[in-house]
Amino acid sequence: MFGQLRQAFFGNARKDILSGMTVAFALIPEAIAFSLLAGVNPIIGLLSSVTIAISISIFGGRPGMISAATGAMSSLMGPIVAKYGVEYLFATSILTGVLQWVFGMCRFGKLIQFVPHSVVIGFVNALAIIIFMAQMPNFHGESWPMYLMVAGTLAIIYLFPLLTKAVPSALVAIIVMTIVSVFTHAGVRTVGDMGDFAQALPHLHMPQIDFSLMTLLHLLPYALALSVVGMTETLLTATIVDEMTETKSDKNKEIRGQGIANFITACFGGMAGCAMIGQTVINVKSGGRKRLSTFVAGFFLLILILLLKDVVRQVPMAALVGVMFMVSIGTFDWKSLKTLHKIPVSDSLVMILTVVIVVSTSNLAIGVVSGVVLSALNFMWKLARLQVKVSDQADGVKVYRITGPMFFGTMLHFSGQFDYYGDPERVIVDFTDSHIWDHSAVTAIAKVTGKYESLGKKVNLIGLNEESKLLIDRTGLAVPGGGA
């Protein structure tokens, strides 16, 4: 037991510590920006990121993945703060944690297997574009030193590994650019210019609200939306990390862990969060693999806030922008552009539409759900291909041989294949090469047989497999030959 715990946390200690420290720097501007987006003090976003990261490192199911306050969640929190106040945000975050824990216990993690690969690629590419576009406001009103420092940051990130990979190049770039900024008085914007964050330790704080059924009913829709968005982004990010590291994760445990982390965070006066693909990519590319990297990211962020506040203020935004550019470039699936014309047109369209919807709405959940719905419609369109072969037997019996699935999408086509008035007295419908999937199919069969019976003709159903027979029997509809 102890050995497994030690391996889970300390099996990659040096790289995990350095990668976690790198991520902590990248979390600061994001946490501040997301706090402003939610309409709360920056310290709430910063301390929330601390408690979420530390908690998920213990309770999560995907080692090496970074969770903290995110833009997708913060965009849904603004209306709560504006309408009810920050205390109700804390209460909503507690309810969000409870719902996510319930989702995990109900094994909702399996839902990720229903997200097509084209949607995952579209999600990844859209997120890369969003990360890139989010850096553009940092260039507003800046002069050439900003551009030069961004270029210098990227140069260090990509060239330093040629010398050594012992230290994450992104961390080296941040340190070097900070030193350059301080000693050259470059006059570029720094982290300190983004907003003030007072020194404070996370402390237990229960929401000061009216605990009643009416309050629960008011907050439940917001909590449900936050839970679904957080779960969606977390599951997709976990899938991406699985592919990057060629390892498996426990998706249901990760959802439960997110719920526990958000519950703990909210009880300490924080806002709910979820997995962050940008910071996760930084962690993985910097060598982070175990739970220790996520723990260090949260703990070192706390140290930066409490003990190294004055140093952190001097970090130039140009360095962090350069790091996020690296994340954007590394996140985008460039191979998808090469294979776009080789994969089925429908998959290409789903991928492109997912990107367009996510980028245009800045809502990952809407984009992913839209992509899944489009893929499902495309699948059903392909599935709804029913073939009916008609033949006449020597004894004057007409046979309809059905090939293909019988479900709601094929019922109109099925019903229109029969010549009710022109057919002989005896008709056979052969389902040997078919399967009856739903109540709609049984109803359509009953209507066909009923039409023949109203004309005084006899219909026999043959070739039904056991599942189809069972479905017909359960519905209780009168289908001649259905139990034969």
Side-chain angles (χ1 to χ4, degrees):
M1 181 67 179
F2 179 75
Q4 292 179 345
L5 184 64
R6 180 177 180 182
Q7 178 63 24
F9 268 89
F10 303 106
N12 187 46
R14 182 180 64 81
K15 290 184 178 180
D16 283 341
I17 291 173
L18 293 174
S19 62
M21 293 170 63
T22 306
V23 170
F25 280 104
L27 281 172
I28 293 174
E30 299 280 313
I32 295 175
F34 298 151
S35 298
L36 299 177
L37 180 61
V40 299
N41 191 296
I43 193 62
I44 292 178
L46 288 165
L47 293 182
S48 296
S49 297
V50 169
T51 53
I52 292 173
I54 291 176
S55 299
I56 201 66
S57 71
I58 299 171
F59 300 108
R62 174 61 265 181
M65 190 164 72
I66 305 297
S67 294
T70 65
M73 302 284 275
S74 298
S75 63
L76 299 175
M77 296 175 180
I80 303 174
V81 176
K83 188 173 183 179
Y84 300 106
V86 68
E87 293 294 331
Y88 282 82
L89 172 61
F90 301 150
T92 306
S93 295
I94 289 177
L95 187 55
T96 298
V98 173
L99 288 175
Q100 288 182 322
W101 184 83
V102 172
F103 290 162
M105 292 301 295
C106 293
R107 305 184 68 81
F108 276 26
K110 286 186 176 181
L111 294 177
I112 194 64
Q113 67 186 354
F114 297 108
V115 178
H117 186 67
S118 56
V119 176
V120 174
I121 297 300
F123 164 81
V124 170
N125 291 345
L127 208 52
I129 294 172
I130 289 176
I131 292 172
F132 186 88
M133 293 172 60
Q135 310 312 311
M136 295 300 104
N138 292 298
F139 290 94
H140 182 69
E142 293 291 338
S143 56
W144 63 268
M146 170 72 174
Y147 295 88
L148 194 60
M149 292 189 73
V150 171
T153 300
L154 289 171
I156 294 174
I157 287 174
Y158 289 110
L159 296 179
F160 186 79
L162 299 178
L163 298 177
T164 178
K165 295 183 180 180
V167 182
S169 59
L171 179 60
V172 174
I174 293 172
I175 295 173
V176 170
M177 287 300 128
T178 301
I179 294 173
V180 170
S181 175
V182 171
F183 283 94
T184 62
H185 303 286
V188 297
R189 291 176 66 244
T190 64
V191 171
D193 296 324
M194 289 199 66
D196 186 33
F197 43 98
Q199 293 176 326
L201 278 170
H203 59 280
L204 192 63
H205 175 84
M206 296 306 294
Q208 304 300 304
I209 66 169
D210 175 28
F211 288 96
S212 65
L213 179 60
M214 188 60 66
T215 300
L216 176 64
L217 294 178
H218 281 311
L219 299 183
L220 185 59
Y222 294 104
L224 185 60
L226 286 168
S227 301
V228 173
V229 169
M231 181 178 68
T232 302
E233 189 165 354
T234 296
L235 289 176
L236 288 170
T237 304
T239 301
I240 293 167
V241 177
D242 290 350
E243 294 179 358
M244 291 178 67
T245 60
E246 297 182 350
T247 56
K248 294 182 179 181
S249 59
D250 187 335
K251 305 294 191 303
N252 294 306
K253 183 178 181 180
E254 180 62 31
I255 296 175
R256 296 195 300 272
Q258 286 288 336
I260 295 172
N262 284 330
F263 183 88
I264 293 174
T265 298
C267 289
F268 280 85
M271 51 197 275
C274 64
M276 304 182 74
I277 188 170
Q279 278 66 22
T280 297
V281 170
I282 294 175
N283 189 47
V284 173
K285 287 187 175 294
S286 299
R289 293 292 184 274
K290 303 295 184 180
R291 296 179 182 273
L292 181 62
S293 62
T294 308
F295 178 87
V296 170
F299 185 73
F300 189 63
L301 175 59
L302 182 63
I303 293 176
L304 292 176
I305 296 171
L306 297 180
L307 304 180
L308 301 176
K309 177 181 176 182
D310 294 333
V311 175
V312 173
R313 286 180 174 277
Q314 303 302 316
V315 175
M317 287 301 300
L320 299 178
V321 168
V323 171
M324 296 313 293
F325 276 165
M326 177 270 290
V327 172
S328 176
I329 295 170
T331 301
F332 196 92
D333 190 341
W334 299 99
K335 292 181 180 179
S336 64
L337 297 179
K338 297 180 180 179
T339 59
L340 196 61
H341 66 286
K342 297 179 181 179
I343 62 178
V345 175
S346 57
D347 289 343
S348 298
L349 289 175
V350 168
M351 185 192 308
I352 294 171
L353 287 173
T354 301
V355 172
V356 171
I357 293 173
V358 171
V359 173
S360 60
T361 64
S362 295
N363 191 314
L364 301 173
I366 291 178
V368 171
V369 170
S370 299
V372 172
V373 170
L374 289 171
S375 296
L377 291 174
N378 176 57
F379 175 74
M380 284 191 292
W381 180 265
K382 293 179 178 179
L383 193 64
R385 294 175 180 174
L386 195 70
Q387 293 183 353
V388 180
K389 295 182 180 180
V390 183
S391 61
D392 294 307
Q393 293 183 350
D395 55 0
V397 177
K398 194 168 186 178
V399 179
Y400 289 87
R401 188 178 183 88
I402 312 300
T403 302
M406 291 282 290
F407 70 112
F408 65 89
T410 58
M411 291 306 91
L412 287 177
H413 180 64
F414 170 77
S415 301
Q417 297 300 306
F418 298 91
D419 184 6
Y420 302 103
Y421 295 97
D423 282 346
E425 297 300 317
R426 290 187 59 200
V427 175
I428 294 177
V429 184
D430 187 355
F431 291 97
T432 302
D433 298 321
S434 182
H435 183 90
I436 300 173
W437 287 103
D438 58 14
H439 182 262
S440 297
V442 179
T443 302
I445 295 171
K447 287 181 178 180
V448 168
T449 56
K451 181 69 173 177
Y452 276 114
E453 288 177 351
S454 68
L455 297 173
K457 300 178 181 182
K458 184 178 180 181
V459 181
N460 285 329
L461 307 183
I462 65 172
L464 290 168
N465 57 38
E466 291 301 322
E467 291 183 5
S468 298
K469 290 179 184 178
L470 182 61
L471 181 58
I472 290 175
D473 292 340
R474 282 180 176 178
T475 59
L477 294 177
V479 180

